Amino acid sequence: MSALALSVLLSFVSAVAYAGGAIVQEQVAVSSPGAQQYAPLRRPGWWAAVALNGLGGLLHVVALAYGPLSLVQPLGALTIVFALPMAALFVGRRAGATAWRGAIMATVGLAGLLSLVGASDAQSLDTAQRVAAALGTAAAVVALMLAARAVHRHPAVRSILLATASGVAFGMSSVFTKTVAVDWTGGVSAADLPSLAVIGVLATAGMMLSQASYRGAGLAAPLATLTVVNPVVAAAVGITMFGESFRYGTTGTALALSCAVVAAGGLILLTTERLAREQQEARTAEAGSAPGTASPVAESVPEAAAADAGAPAADPAARLLAELTLPRDVRMPVPLPSPGAAPDGEDSVPVPLVSYAPYYGGPYVPVAVVDRHRVRVKS
């Protein structure tokens, strides 16, 4: 097998590993409480996701060693394309047509953008540039986290912001990794320890933020955002700080901007698809909890007892009726003589009352029925 074919194969396997890690992360996020949304360390699935992401990163680095950057980086964008069918196959989470269109647009736009980035001579960053990059990354990540906290009532928007913060952290981690790799060509030195620490912090932060981004937002939107933002940030830093540029001059720059617009359109499709699904779920929930059309007067005693036992009432009047305790026997003895002659010493005969029925949440006042016949008094 040639080196080029091996790099392509490793890139495919790396994308599958990343997709599997994302699916496991999303499943862990769904089943974890809110307090563990960033790092559910006690969940075995979390560590499985960490292992899959680590495997994907390792295979990606090996693929870069065997193949050119212009080929390996665009193939990494296939993660979202692999993730959707894998999620439908293994966990039964099917994506709609809008999500598929958005995912394909984001992948094609990202692949075109990365393929237009030209190679340059290996360069490193000086100390001032490293400090500025680390502080700028920390400020951007914290700002995105605060913005996500401010819009916590909208899970889709919150997820996109957290996925963007994760992509920024992972992208800058790649920048510092390239810097350390360039420095190590001339020998290992203690001056690279701060850069290694920054790589560890950014990689850990990116992993935790990506875990939080899957909570309540599905799989497609946060994964596509992370997949696009990560290499775009790395490419932007490479162009501005490493002297890289787009191929084919002005034409290549225009094509790169067009690819960026296509990728952004795909992300917008994924976000709007998730927002539309949230609104549909909210309308369904409201329709399911809407008050019924049954009149409270027609409410029977067994239904009221069921409501008192914990069944949801249809409207406020029915809830008030459910709190009432209605007697089963609506007759009561009254000290009235019976129509006929009653034996001496015998209790009064129970006389039926009018119907004991609810009216606007309260009962009728019972009125005794008096016999119309005159009572003959015997001396």
Side-chain angles (χ1 to χ4, degrees), residues 48-366:
V50 172
L52 287 172
N53 282 286
L55 176 62
L58 178 62
L59 292 175
H60 183 73
V61 172
V62 177
L64 287 173
Y66 285 96
L69 179 66
S70 58
L71 176 65
V72 174
Q73 283 293 103
L75 290 177
L78 294 175
T79 300
I80 182 63
V81 177
F82 290 149
L84 294 183
M86 288 173 62
L89 179 62
F90 294 111
V91 299
R93 184 180 294 276
R94 300 184 181 276
T98 304
W100 271 105
R101 285 195 297 269
I104 293 175
M105 286 178 61
T107 303
V108 171
L110 176 61
L113 177 63
L114 294 178
S115 63
L116 290 171
V117 177
S120 63
D121 296 335
Q123 297 182 15
S124 181
L125 301 178
D126 56 26
T127 303
Q129 289 176 325
R130 298 185 189 189
V131 172
L135 293 179
T137 303
V141 170
V142 171
L144 289 169
M145 291 178 64
L146 293 177
R149 185 179 181 85
V151 296
H152 66 279
R153 296 181 181 272
H154 304 282
V157 180
R158 168 188 167 276
S159 169
I160 295 300
L161 291 173
L162 290 176
T164 303
S166 176
V168 170
F170 277 130
M172 293 305 298
S173 175
S174 300
V175 170
F176 278 93
T177 301
K178 181 177 181 180
T179 300
V180 172
V182 172
D183 292 343
W184 281 6
T185 56
V188 181
S189 64
D192 292 323
L193 291 178
S195 297
L196 293 175
V198 171
I199 293 171
V201 171
L202 290 178
T204 304
M207 184 69 183
M208 292 184 176
L209 289 170
S210 65
Q211 176 65 56
S213 68
Y214 291 112
R215 185 174 182 83
L219 175 69
L223 179 58
T225 303
L226 173 59
T227 304
V228 171
V229 172
N230 178 4
V232 166
V233 168
V237 174
I239 291 173
T240 57
M241 303 183 71
F242 287 100
E244 297 179 354
S245 60
F246 292 113
R247 298 176 180 177
Y248 313 118
T250 305
T251 303
T253 303
L255 290 175
L257 292 177
S258 301
C259 292
V261 171
V262 172
L267 295 181
I268 292 173
L269 275 181
L270 289 168
T271 306
T272 54
E273 188 265 346
R274 185 62 193 180
L275 289 174
R277 185 178 300 179
E278 289 178 1
Q279 293 175 359
Q280 183 178 1
E281 292 174 355
R283 287 195 298 267
T284 303
E286 291 177 359
S289 61
T293 57
S295 173
V297 179
E299 197 78 32
S300 62
V301 173
E303 291 172 346
D308 193 29
D315 52 17
R319 287 197 298 269
L320 180 60
L321 176 62
E323 298 176 359
L324 299 176
T325 303
L326 303 181
R328 293 185 177 180
D329 188 6
V330 296
R331 299 188 309 159
M332 60 182 300
V334 295
L336 291 176
S338 61
D344 294 337
E346 195 168 317
D347 294 338
S348 302
V349 179
V351 179
L353 306 178
V354 297
S355 61
Y356 193 88
Y359 183 72
Y360 289 103
Y364 284 121
V365 177

